[in-house]
Amino acid sequence: MASDPRNVEIKYTKLFIDNEFVDAVSKKTFSVLNPSTEKVIVEVAEGDKADVDKAVAAAKAAIARGSEWRTMDASRRGLLINKLADLLENNLDEISAIETLENGKTFEFSKIITSLSVNVLRYFAGFTDKIHGSTIPTDGPLLTMTRKEPVGVVGQIIPWNYAIMMATWKWGPALAAGCTIVLKPAEQTPLGALYLAALAKEAGFPKGVINVVPGFGSTAGSALSWHPDVRKIAFTGSTQVGHFIMESAAKSNLKKVSLELGGKSPLVIFDDFNVDEAVEIAADAIFSNHGQNCCAGSRTFVQSKIYNEFVTKAAAKANSIKVGDPFCPESQQGPQVDKATLDKILSLIESGKKQGANVAAGGNRVGDVGYYVQPTVFSNVTDNMIIAKEEIFGPVQSILKFDTLEEVIERANSTEYGLAAGVLTKNIDTAMVFAQAVEAGSVWINCYDEAIGPHTPFGGYKQSGIGRDLGEESIKEYLETKTISIKL
Ligand code: TAP
């Protein structure tokens, strides 16, 4: 890699279909921008319906009866996934530089996330030869067994906030189950996924097993979710698009659907918890990855007795966060991903000001080049304000006041989202009552956003999603169960 990671060479800019990098059928391209400089990094081939059709056909042939992938020993599938993990690890700096270039997260954070992605692939590699059915005692002189089989061609549509990690979250279980894949990365961040595709070819995956079609959601994404030969769609993104995915699955071929969607997650801080420690945990919960986390702790509920002290310290903490060039080692927060996201965050900040919340820190754009936002803290936030209800997906902390456990459980749950929640208290009874009552797929006690690893199922209640990524549960999303009975 170039000595300055900013100058990382971009080698892969075409669609990856059937183990080849190819132009789009239309020959169209689109620009990928650097959110830090607002300059074009490179032009990338723009996939559309015709390209999705080609990719799905390749993926279908790759899983056909008698194909190399279909007949491959399960343990060998595991070796291939492990090889991909090794290659990702060997190229960690280069792929992390690409993630920072196109997404804007700090280079140091990109490296952490990429190494977590290596772990994800290794976890699923270990599963390939441990997927099996059972024998079932049935009435009559019968022997009954179940067999686990891959669902077939899967379409995977992912967002930009963790481009590499989202790809590995989706590829790991799909490949472990023996499915073949057509991935549509987000339009802002196709480069990391294309690099990963090149590594998959080098690892030795047969042609057609993994295909990557960059393009836009309304064209390439939609073509994938409507495709009659795609048997499952795995989607991560906004709740709004999640509704479109369900609709297209229902109206096309009843393909299976798993959805990881948005959130407005509560972090509840009781007055028996050390305030300084709580401020640190709450800041990480919301400001990590510039607030572009689906499970961000974006509603900070603080008990009355410590509310004022907490707000003062939370504001000081936000003011201390260094915002700047994501390649600079001192930077703790880079730019938001694009102009539309920047504008949406700034307009939500304005709505907070207009509705009477108090700006305790930040509240503005930083500079006029690059999509930088000041880490922002609002106090005196009430449940009916837009900033307390809508997902901001930016570095904006909303601090709300509460008095009792029963009250905060009800308020935490009064949202259509249900992705994650956290509670900070020294009272185990309080913590467990909250953890059991809160409607959320992940709950952290005395920490936040920790232990999201390959082993732990991750996903949402209510309109935060359907199904789970990660853990053994995620593999089930890619399997059919066949029941075979033998008359004895
Ligand atoms: P979306 O706008 O939903 O985009 C996600 C992906 O869907 C992109 O690849 C997008 O393509 C594609 N897409 C857009 N419209 C589509 C359509 N009509 N049919 C098929 N695909 C379509 O979300 P985003 O703004 O990129 O990401 C932020 C959202 O994702 C937040 O709400 C966040 O909470 C959520 N998120 C959730 C999780 C989990 S695990 N629950 C994780 C990360 C993010 P384009 O690239 O062209 O837009």
Side-chain angles (χ1 to χ4, degrees):
M1 192 177 81
S3 56
D4 182 346
R6 289 176 188 83
N7 299 329
V8 60
E9 186 191 352
I10 306 299
K11 298 177 210 150
Y12 309 107
T13 58
K14 297 187 176 189
L15 315 178
F16 184 75
I17 298 177
D18 225 11
N19 269 3
E20 299 299 334
F21 284 98
V22 294
D23 288 322
V25 171
S26 67
K27 304 281 185 232
K28 281 206 254 178
T29 62
F30 66 101
S31 305
V32 179
L33 296 188
N34 177 340
S36 174
T37 62
E38 305 183 26
K39 297 214 165 89
V40 175
I41 304 169
V42 74
E43 290 290 313
V44 168
E46 183 191 325
D48 200 337
K49 184 175 181 310
D51 308 284
V52 167
D53 286 346
K54 272 173 67 184
V56 172
K60 192 175 174 189
I63 201 172
R65 191 163 167 256
S67 67
E68 183 186 354
W69 181 246
R70 187 100 203 190
T71 56
M72 186 180 282
D73 288 342
S75 57
R76 167 114 187 97
R77 276 208 315 276
L79 290 175
L80 287 180
I81 303 172
N82 261 324
K83 178 83 175 133
L84 176 59
D86 292 346
L87 289 169
L88 183 55
E89 192 168 49
N90 295 343
N91 292 280
L92 194 127
D93 281 1
E94 196 163 326
I95 203 158
S96 302
I98 290 172
E99 171 107 14
T100 294
L101 207 59
E102 62 180 347
N103 163 279
K105 61 166 59 64
T106 67
F107 186 43
E108 296 311 311
F109 191 49
S110 286
K111 286 191 273 189
I112 293 170
I113 293 301
T114 308
S115 53
L116 290 175
S117 307
V118 172
N119 297 347
V120 168
L121 290 173
R122 292 206 171 118
Y123 172 82
F124 287 106
F127 254 109
T128 54
D129 56 1
K130 295 163 197 75
I131 296 169
H132 53 76
S134 51
T135 51
I136 302 168
T138 37
D139 291 348
L142 286 167
L143 175 64
T144 298
M145 67 191 85
T146 56
R147 227 177 98 74
K148 298 289 178 184
E149 298 181 357
V151 296
V153 177
V154 300
Q156 303 184 325
I157 301 176
I158 56 173
W160 43 263
N161 61 338
Y162 290 97
I164 297 296
M165 195 167 79
M166 284 298 121
T168 59
W169 280 27
K170 301 291 187 216
W171 286 9
L175 295 170
C179 294
T180 56
I181 295 167
V182 178
L183 176 88
K184 196 212 79 72
E187 67 191 58
Q188 298 88 343
T189 55
L191 302 176
L194 291 173
Y195 192 108
L196 210 52
L199 296 183
K201 180 173 181 175
E202 190 181 339
F205 282 92
K207 62 185 191 138
V209 172
I210 292 172
N211 306 274
V212 177
V213 182
F216 298 109
S218 54
T219 52
S222 174
L224 198 52
S225 66
W226 280 92
H227 204 290
D229 289 333
V230 170
R231 296 295 165 195
K232 176 195 160 63
I233 281 276
F235 172 78
T236 294
S238 60
T239 296
Q240 185 196 13
V241 176
H243 281 261
F244 295 148
I245 301 286
M246 283 286 272
E247 186 187 4
S248 53
K251 290 188 175 162
S252 56
N253 61 347
L254 288 179
K255 53 179 68 68
K256 289 171 188 291
V257 173
S258 57
L259 305 172
E260 302 292 347
L261 308 174
K264 193 72 191 174
S265 301
L267 169 60
V268 175
I269 301 164
F270 284 87
D271 61 17
D272 60 353
F273 199 83
N274 179 286
V275 176
D276 294 320
E277 211 186 318
V279 166
E280 292 297 322
I281 294 170
D284 273 356
I286 181 66
F287 295 123
S288 155
N289 201 32
H290 328 169
Q292 302 170 147
N293 278 339
C294 49
C295 57
S298 50
R299 288 183 294 153
T300 312
F301 286 97
V302 180
Q303 208 165 15
S304 308
K305 204 170 107 192
I306 58 167
Y307 187 84
N308 290 342
E309 180 188 357
F310 183 93
V311 168
T312 306
K313 290 181 169 172
K317 173 70 193 174
N319 286 329
S320 77
I321 294 172
K322 293 194 174 53
V323 181
D325 176 1
F327 283 105
C328 189
E330 291 82 47
S331 297
Q332 295 166 304
Q333 182 182 304
Q336 309 305 130
V337 75
D338 62 12
K339 176 81 168 49
T341 306
L342 172 78
D343 289 344
K344 182 179 168 205
I345 294 167
L346 293 176
S347 88
L348 284 164
I349 289 175
E350 284 313 306
S351 85
K353 292 175 185 169
K354 278 204 195 99
Q355 290 192 309
N358 173 54
V359 181
N364 294 299
R365 184 177 181 179
V366 178
D368 51 13
V369 176
Y371 310 122
Y372 295 93
V373 179
Q374 290 177 328
T376 296
V377 176
F378 277 112
S379 61
N380 298 340
V381 179
T382 53
D383 294 353
N384 59 337
M385 290 180 184
I386 293 170
I387 55 170
K389 293 200 287 199
E390 270 192 35
E391 187 179 40
I392 300 177
F393 226 55
V396 182
Q397 183 175 37
S398 297
I399 311 181
L400 304 101
K401 195 187 281 187
F402 77 94
D403 288 305
T404 68
L405 172 62
E406 283 310 312
E407 168 208 335
V408 82
I409 288 171
E410 196 176 319
R411 290 171 64 193
N413 284 341
S414 81
T415 166
E416 273 300 299
Y417 291 121
L419 193 56
V423 56
L424 309 183
T425 173
K426 290 297 166 203
N427 184 329
I428 190 68
D429 291 351
T430 303
M432 286 312 296
V433 169
F434 179 82
Q436 290 181 62
V438 73
E439 294 159 358
S442 296
V443 184
W444 294 285
I445 298 175
N446 295 343
C447 59
Y448 198 88
D449 207 358
E450 299 222 3
I452 295 185
H455 329 83
T456 50
F458 182 80
Y461 281 34
K462 301 189 283 190
Q463 292 200 43
S464 282
I466 294 174
R468 293 293 178 266
D469 274 330
L470 301 177
E472 192 174 354
E473 279 199 38
S474 66
I475 301 175
K476 295 183 186 143
E477 308 274 346
Y478 291 91
L479 293 169
E480 292 284 10
T481 300
K482 181 177 280 172
T483 305
I484 302 176
S485 298
I486 310 169
K487 182 136 196 195
L488 300 173

